[in-house]
Amino acid sequence: MVIKRATNVHMEGIDRLLGQVLMVHHNGRPDLFKANVRKYTDSELEEILADPKRPIFVAVDEQEKVLGYAFCVYQQHVNDNILTDIRTLYIDDICVDEDCRKMHVGSSLYNYVIDFARREGFYNVTLNVWSCNPTAMKFYEACGLVPYKVGMEKVL
């Protein structure tokens, strides 16, 4: 397994995994997440892949099959009234192919993102996790992440 910056060559594999993570969320919260749709069109995904401030990292095997990905976004609040201007690397989406779970793909991707963020001088790495995905919550806690804000709702 090799982890590297994704290119257009990886689009089909990324799209396949986007479908898997979508179904996890749909199964957990069908009131919020649609089934059998695409998160990004091909042109949207191409745009993200070309954006230096939205890196996507992929774990691939010898045949370039995508085993997992981490979508990241640079965030910084410059001249904000209340927030400091620290640089944050936000993990927008992370997924490991359901056939590759328990093979350390997720922890390898996460550690790669952390190393990248350190090298690039980010202050922190953040992400959101849906409460309907307790497996992901346990994974992130095992990686050493701690809650720093909590989203709450009341369905009416």
Side-chain angles (χ1 to χ4, degrees), residues 35-63:
N36 304 313
V37 294
R38 293 183 65 187
K39 184 173 182 176
Y40 302 111
T41 64
D42 286 345
S43 61
E44 289 170 330
L45 190 52
E46 286 174 352
E47 190 176 306
I48 294 168
L49 287 165
D51 187 341
K53 296 196 176 197
R54 295 177 74 185
I56 302 173
F57 301 107
V58 288
V60 296
D61 66 11
E62 307 80 34
Q63 289 79 41

mmCIF file of all heavy atoms in Angstrom, residues 35-63:
data_model
loop_
_atom_site.group_PDB
_atom_site.id
_atom_site.type_symbol
_atom_site.label_atom_id
_atom_site.label_comp_id
_atom_site.label_asym_id
_atom_site.label_seq_id
_atom_site.Cartn_x
_atom_site.Cartn_y
_atom_site.Cartn_z
ATOM 1 N N ALA A 35 -30.192 7.921 -0.726
ATOM 2 C CA ALA A 35 -29.517 6.683 -1.140
ATOM 3 C C ALA A 35 -29.197 6.756 -2.627
ATOM 4 O O ALA A 35 -29.880 7.441 -3.390
ATOM 5 C CB ALA A 35 -30.403 5.477 -0.860
ATOM 6 N N ASN A 36 -28.152 6.044 -3.006
ATOM 7 C CA ASN A 36 -27.831 5.830 -4.419
ATOM 8 C C ASN A 36 -27.690 7.126 -5.221
ATOM 9 O O ASN A 36 -28.205 7.233 -6.331
ATOM 10 C CB ASN A 36 -28.862 4.907 -5.062
ATOM 11 C CG ASN A 36 -28.953 3.596 -4.322
ATOM 12 O OD1 ASN A 36 -27.950 2.975 -4.003
ATOM 13 N ND2 ASN A 36 -30.170 3.174 -4.013
ATOM 14 N N VAL A 37 -27.022 8.111 -4.640
ATOM 15 C CA VAL A 37 -26.712 9.348 -5.348
ATOM 16 C C VAL A 37 -25.208 9.574 -5.290
ATOM 17 O O VAL A 37 -24.496 8.885 -4.549
ATOM 18 C CB VAL A 37 -27.451 10.565 -4.747
ATOM 19 C CG1 VAL A 37 -28.954 10.435 -4.934
ATOM 20 C CG2 VAL A 37 -27.113 10.763 -3.282
ATOM 21 N N ARG A 38 -24.716 10.515 -6.053
ATOM 22 C CA ARG A 38 -23.291 10.841 -6.043
ATOM 23 C C ARG A 38 -23.077 12.118 -5.253
ATOM 24 O O ARG A 38 -23.810 13.084 -5.416
ATOM 25 C CB ARG A 38 -22.792 11.029 -7.467
ATOM 26 C CG ARG A 38 -22.831 9.726 -8.253
ATOM 27 C CD ARG A 38 -22.282 9.892 -9.632
ATOM 28 N NE ARG A 38 -20.850 10.234 -9.549
ATOM 29 C CZ ARG A 38 -20.137 10.578 -10.595
ATOM 30 N NH1 ARG A 38 -20.674 10.643 -11.782
ATOM 31 N NH2 ARG A 38 -18.860 10.861 -10.453
ATOM 32 N N LYS A 39 -22.076 12.119 -4.411
ATOM 33 C CA LYS A 39 -21.750 13.311 -3.640
ATOM 34 C C LYS A 39 -21.199 14.399 -4.549
ATOM 35 O O LYS A 39 -21.483 15.582 -4.358
ATOM 36 C CB LYS A 39 -20.736 12.970 -2.540
ATOM 37 C CG LYS A 39 -20.405 14.138 -1.634
ATOM 38 C CD LYS A 39 -19.543 13.725 -0.468
ATOM 39 C CE LYS A 39 -19.262 14.897 0.453
ATOM 40 N NZ LYS A 39 -18.509 14.501 1.640
ATOM 41 N N TYR A 40 -20.388 14.012 -5.534
ATOM 42 C CA TYR A 40 -19.788 14.957 -6.472
ATOM 43 C C TYR A 40 -19.978 14.459 -7.899
ATOM 44 O O TYR A 40 -19.850 13.263 -8.160
ATOM 45 C CB TYR A 40 -18.280 15.100 -6.230
ATOM 46 C CG TYR A 40 -17.911 15.548 -4.844
ATOM 47 C CD1 TYR A 40 -17.278 14.679 -3.959
ATOM 48 C CD2 TYR A 40 -18.176 16.848 -4.417
ATOM 49 C CE1 TYR A 40 -16.927 15.092 -2.691
ATOM 50 C CE2 TYR A 40 -17.838 17.267 -3.141
ATOM 51 C CZ TYR A 40 -17.208 16.382 -2.272
ATOM 52 O OH TYR A 40 -16.858 16.790 -1.021
ATOM 53 N N THR A 41 -20.231 15.385 -8.809
ATOM 54 C CA THR A 41 -20.193 15.037 -10.223
ATOM 55 C C THR A 41 -18.724 14.867 -10.611
ATOM 56 O O THR A 41 -17.823 15.263 -9.859
ATOM 57 C CB THR A 41 -20.815 16.151 -11.085
ATOM 58 O OG1 THR A 41 -20.007 17.324 -10.954
ATOM 59 C CG2 THR A 41 -22.259 16.438 -10.674
ATOM 60 N N ASP A 42 -18.481 14.316 -11.805
ATOM 61 C CA ASP A 42 -17.101 14.180 -12.268
ATOM 62 C C ASP A 42 -16.414 15.536 -12.348
ATOM 63 O O ASP A 42 -15.256 15.678 -11.957
ATOM 64 C CB ASP A 42 -17.044 13.495 -13.639
ATOM 65 C CG ASP A 42 -17.313 12.004 -13.554
ATOM 66 O OD1 ASP A 42 -17.269 11.433 -12.441
ATOM 67 O OD2 ASP A 42 -17.560 11.393 -14.618
ATOM 68 N N SER A 43 -17.123 16.547 -12.833
ATOM 69 C CA SER A 43 -16.494 17.867 -12.953
ATOM 70 C C SER A 43 -16.199 18.477 -11.580
ATOM 71 O O SER A 43 -15.171 19.128 -11.396
ATOM 72 C CB SER A 43 -17.340 18.814 -13.805
ATOM 73 O OG SER A 43 -18.596 19.029 -13.233
ATOM 74 N N GLU A 44 -17.086 18.266 -10.610
ATOM 75 C CA GLU A 44 -16.819 18.762 -9.250
ATOM 76 C C GLU A 44 -15.601 18.058 -8.650
ATOM 77 O O GLU A 44 -14.754 18.697 -8.019
ATOM 78 C CB GLU A 44 -18.038 18.554 -8.356
ATOM 79 C CG GLU A 44 -19.201 19.451 -8.684
ATOM 80 C CD GLU A 44 -20.478 19.062 -7.955
ATOM 81 O OE1 GLU A 44 -20.689 17.869 -7.657
ATOM 82 O OE2 GLU A 44 -21.298 19.977 -7.694
ATOM 83 N N LEU A 45 -15.513 16.744 -8.844
ATOM 84 C CA LEU A 45 -14.377 15.988 -8.317
ATOM 85 C C LEU A 45 -13.083 16.418 -9.004
ATOM 86 O O LEU A 45 -12.060 16.588 -8.342
ATOM 87 C CB LEU A 45 -14.618 14.492 -8.461
ATOM 88 C CG LEU A 45 -13.638 13.563 -7.758
ATOM 89 C CD1 LEU A 45 -13.452 13.906 -6.285
ATOM 90 C CD2 LEU A 45 -14.100 12.115 -7.900
ATOM 91 N N GLU A 46 -13.125 16.647 -10.310
ATOM 92 C CA GLU A 46 -11.943 17.147 -11.024
ATOM 93 C C GLU A 46 -11.500 18.488 -10.469
ATOM 94 O O GLU A 46 -10.308 18.760 -10.322
ATOM 95 C CB GLU A 46 -12.233 17.259 -12.523
ATOM 96 C CG GLU A 46 -12.277 15.936 -13.237
ATOM 97 C CD GLU A 46 -12.718 16.053 -14.693
ATOM 98 O OE1 GLU A 46 -13.143 17.156 -15.125
ATOM 99 O OE2 GLU A 46 -12.643 15.032 -15.395
ATOM 100 N N GLU A 47 -12.465 19.351 -10.162
ATOM 101 C CA GLU A 47 -12.161 20.670 -9.603
ATOM 102 C C GLU A 47 -11.484 20.543 -8.238
ATOM 103 O O GLU A 47 -10.509 21.247 -7.946
ATOM 104 C CB GLU A 47 -13.465 21.472 -9.485
ATOM 105 C CG GLU A 47 -13.282 22.925 -9.143
ATOM 106 C CD GLU A 47 -14.620 23.660 -9.150
ATOM 107 O OE1 GLU A 47 -15.341 23.590 -10.154
ATOM 108 O OE2 GLU A 47 -14.932 24.291 -8.110
ATOM 109 N N ILE A 48 -11.989 19.642 -7.409
ATOM 110 C CA ILE A 48 -11.380 19.420 -6.089
ATOM 111 C C ILE A 48 -9.963 18.881 -6.251
ATOM 112 O O ILE A 48 -9.030 19.333 -5.582
ATOM 113 C CB ILE A 48 -12.244 18.462 -5.241
ATOM 114 C CG1 ILE A 48 -13.587 19.109 -4.900
ATOM 115 C CG2 ILE A 48 -11.504 18.053 -3.957
ATOM 116 C CD1 ILE A 48 -14.612 18.151 -4.312
ATOM 117 N N LEU A 49 -9.784 17.922 -7.145
ATOM 118 C CA LEU A 49 -8.455 17.334 -7.362
ATOM 119 C C LEU A 49 -7.441 18.375 -7.831
ATOM 120 O O LEU A 49 -6.255 18.260 -7.529
ATOM 121 C CB LEU A 49 -8.544 16.192 -8.383
ATOM 122 C CG LEU A 49 -9.187 14.905 -7.876
ATOM 123 C CD1 LEU A 49 -9.563 13.996 -9.043
ATOM 124 C CD2 LEU A 49 -8.268 14.189 -6.901
ATOM 125 N N ALA A 50 -7.896 19.397 -8.533
ATOM 126 C CA ALA A 50 -7.000 20.430 -9.047
ATOM 127 C C ALA A 50 -6.742 21.554 -8.043
ATOM 128 O O ALA A 50 -5.846 22.371 -8.252
ATOM 129 C CB ALA A 50 -7.577 21.017 -10.334
ATOM 130 N N ASP A 51 -7.502 21.584 -6.959
ATOM 131 C CA ASP A 51 -7.404 22.676 -5.981
ATOM 132 C C ASP A 51 -6.311 22.378 -4.960
ATOM 133 O O ASP A 51 -6.433 21.435 -4.169
ATOM 134 C CB ASP A 51 -8.751 22.850 -5.280
ATOM 135 C CG ASP A 51 -8.822 24.060 -4.374
ATOM 136 O OD1 ASP A 51 -7.760 24.598 -3.983
ATOM 137 O OD2 ASP A 51 -9.945 24.464 -4.033
ATOM 138 N N PRO A 52 -5.242 23.173 -4.925
ATOM 139 C CA PRO A 52 -4.148 22.902 -3.979
ATOM 140 C C PRO A 52 -4.552 23.059 -2.511
ATOM 141 O O PRO A 52 -3.872 22.546 -1.628
ATOM 142 C CB PRO A 52 -3.074 23.921 -4.369
ATOM 143 C CG PRO A 52 -3.783 24.983 -5.119
ATOM 144 C CD PRO A 52 -4.983 24.339 -5.760
ATOM 145 N N LYS A 53 -5.659 23.731 -2.247
ATOM 146 C CA LYS A 53 -6.111 23.917 -0.868
ATOM 147 C C LYS A 53 -7.185 22.913 -0.461
ATOM 148 O O LYS A 53 -7.798 23.037 0.592
ATOM 149 C CB LYS A 53 -6.615 25.345 -0.668
ATOM 150 C CG LYS A 53 -5.490 26.347 -0.844
ATOM 151 C CD LYS A 53 -5.829 27.680 -0.308
ATOM 152 C CE LYS A 53 -4.594 28.550 -0.444
ATOM 153 N NZ LYS A 53 -4.633 29.713 0.352
ATOM 154 N N ARG A 54 -7.391 21.895 -1.299
ATOM 155 C CA ARG A 54 -8.344 20.821 -0.988
ATOM 156 C C ARG A 54 -7.726 19.475 -1.362
ATOM 157 O O ARG A 54 -8.264 18.743 -2.189
ATOM 158 C CB ARG A 54 -9.652 21.042 -1.736
ATOM 159 C CG ARG A 54 -10.383 22.300 -1.292
ATOM 160 C CD ARG A 54 -11.627 22.537 -2.094
ATOM 161 N NE ARG A 54 -12.671 21.600 -1.710
ATOM 162 C CZ ARG A 54 -13.844 21.521 -2.314
ATOM 163 N NH1 ARG A 54 -14.144 22.290 -3.322
ATOM 164 N NH2 ARG A 54 -14.730 20.639 -1.918
ATOM 165 N N PRO A 55 -6.598 19.127 -0.753
ATOM 166 C CA PRO A 55 -5.930 17.880 -1.157
ATOM 167 C C PRO A 55 -6.754 16.641 -0.808
ATOM 168 O O PRO A 55 -7.414 16.594 0.230
ATOM 169 C CB PRO A 55 -4.623 17.907 -0.377
ATOM 170 C CG PRO A 55 -4.905 18.762 0.814
ATOM 171 C CD PRO A 55 -5.904 19.788 0.351
ATOM 172 N N ILE A 56 -6.695 15.685 -1.702
ATOM 173 C CA ILE A 56 -7.264 14.360 -1.446
ATOM 174 C C ILE A 56 -6.086 13.397 -1.447
ATOM 175 O O ILE A 56 -5.299 13.373 -2.391
ATOM 176 C CB ILE A 56 -8.267 13.926 -2.531
ATOM 177 C CG1 ILE A 56 -9.404 14.926 -2.647
ATOM 178 C CG2 ILE A 56 -8.810 12.525 -2.216
ATOM 179 C CD1 ILE A 56 -10.337 14.647 -3.829
ATOM 180 N N PHE A 57 -5.967 12.619 -0.389
ATOM 181 C CA PHE A 57 -4.923 11.610 -0.305
ATOM 182 C C PHE A 57 -5.577 10.243 -0.463
ATOM 183 O O PHE A 57 -6.666 10.002 0.065
ATOM 184 C CB PHE A 57 -4.188 11.702 1.035
ATOM 185 C CG PHE A 57 -3.563 13.049 1.241
ATOM 186 C CD1 PHE A 57 -4.103 13.948 2.147
ATOM 187 C CD2 PHE A 57 -2.440 13.435 0.516
ATOM 188 C CE1 PHE A 57 -3.537 15.205 2.334
ATOM 189 C CE2 PHE A 57 -1.871 14.690 0.692
ATOM 190 C CZ PHE A 57 -2.422 15.574 1.611
ATOM 191 N N VAL A 58 -4.928 9.370 -1.212
ATOM 192 C CA VAL A 58 -5.460 8.032 -1.434
ATOM 193 C C VAL A 58 -4.445 6.986 -0.998
ATOM 194 O O VAL A 58 -3.242 7.176 -1.136
ATOM 195 C CB VAL A 58 -5.847 7.784 -2.910
ATOM 196 C CG1 VAL A 58 -7.092 8.556 -3.280
ATOM 197 C CG2 VAL A 58 -4.707 8.092 -3.857
ATOM 198 N N ALA A 59 -4.961 5.894 -0.466
ATOM 199 C CA ALA A 59 -4.161 4.694 -0.214
ATOM 200 C C ALA A 59 -4.474 3.769 -1.385
ATOM 201 O O ALA A 59 -5.646 3.495 -1.666
ATOM 202 C CB ALA A 59 -4.559 4.050 1.109
ATOM 203 N N VAL A 60 -3.426 3.334 -2.092
ATOM 204 C CA VAL A 60 -3.617 2.488 -3.269
ATOM 205 C C VAL A 60 -2.747 1.241 -3.173
ATOM 206 O O VAL A 60 -1.712 1.237 -2.502
ATOM 207 C CB VAL A 60 -3.291 3.249 -4.582
ATOM 208 C CG1 VAL A 60 -4.248 4.412 -4.792
ATOM 209 C CG2 VAL A 60 -1.858 3.721 -4.611
ATOM 210 N N ASP A 61 -3.191 0.192 -3.876
ATOM 211 C CA ASP A 61 -2.379 -1.021 -3.953
ATOM 212 C C ASP A 61 -1.474 -0.945 -5.185
ATOM 213 O O ASP A 61 -1.405 0.093 -5.850
ATOM 214 C CB ASP A 61 -3.256 -2.281 -3.941
ATOM 215 C CG ASP A 61 -4.135 -2.437 -5.170
ATOM 216 O OD1 ASP A 61 -3.951 -1.699 -6.175
ATOM 217 O OD2 ASP A 61 -5.020 -3.316 -5.151
ATOM 218 N N GLU A 62 -0.814 -2.048 -5.508
ATOM 219 C CA GLU A 62 0.148 -2.083 -6.609
ATOM 220 C C GLU A 62 -0.505 -1.798 -7.962
ATOM 221 O O GLU A 62 0.154 -1.337 -8.898
ATOM 222 C CB GLU A 62 0.868 -3.447 -6.688
ATOM 223 C CG GLU A 62 1.524 -3.897 -5.402
ATOM 224 C CD GLU A 62 0.529 -4.516 -4.404
ATOM 225 O OE1 GLU A 62 -0.443 -5.183 -4.804
ATOM 226 O OE2 GLU A 62 0.729 -4.291 -3.194
ATOM 227 N N GLN A 63 -1.783 -2.076 -8.094
ATOM 228 C CA GLN A 63 -2.507 -1.831 -9.346
ATOM 229 C C GLN A 63 -3.218 -0.471 -9.352
ATOM 230 O O GLN A 63 -4.051 -0.220 -10.221
ATOM 231 C CB GLN A 63 -3.539 -2.938 -9.607
ATOM 232 C CG GLN A 63 -2.940 -4.283 -9.982
ATOM 233 C CD GLN A 63 -2.427 -5.054 -8.773
ATOM 234 O OE1 GLN A 63 -3.048 -5.082 -7.725
ATOM 235 N NE2 GLN A 63 -1.271 -5.672 -8.923
#
